[in-house]
């Protein structure tokens, strides 16, 4: 499903579930911001990947920028 700007909608519940079982690598917290890291979809949503905790991983912001250039 897409939002009003045409972007694929993401599930806040899936993100919370991922964070609850995979604490921030930098702080060990299970909620809030994780400085230097982003939650990445292993299989991108635009390539049919699920917006589910099983398709998410922590990724450094630098690695995310590099990955975004090729996706």
């Amino acid at each position: 499903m897409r939002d009003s700007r045409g972007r694929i909608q993401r599930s806040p519940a899936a993100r919370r579930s991922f964070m609850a079982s995979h604490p921030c690598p930098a702080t060990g917290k299970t909620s809030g911001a994780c400085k230097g890291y982003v939650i990445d979809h292993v299989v991108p949503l635009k390539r049919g990947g699920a917006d589910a905790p099983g398709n998410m991983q922590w990724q450094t912001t630098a690695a995310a920028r590099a990955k975004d250039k090729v996706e």
Side-chain angles (χ1 to χ4, degrees), residues 5-41:
R5 293 177 289 174
R7 300 179 93 189
I8 297 172
Q9 287 186 328
R10 297 181 178 172
S11 167
R15 180 182 172 91
R16 284 191 305 273
S17 179
F18 172 79
M19 289 185 75
S21 59
H22 298 85
C24 170
T27 65
K29 293 182 180 180
T30 57
S31 64
C34 183
K35 187 172 174 95
Y37 289 86
V38 295
I39 295 176
D40 174 60
H41 289 87

Side-chain angles (χ1 to χ4, degrees), residues 47-60:
R47 301 278 185 246
D51 192 24
N55 187 40
M56 295 177 179
Q57 66 183 355
W58 286 110
Q59 187 175 55
T60 65

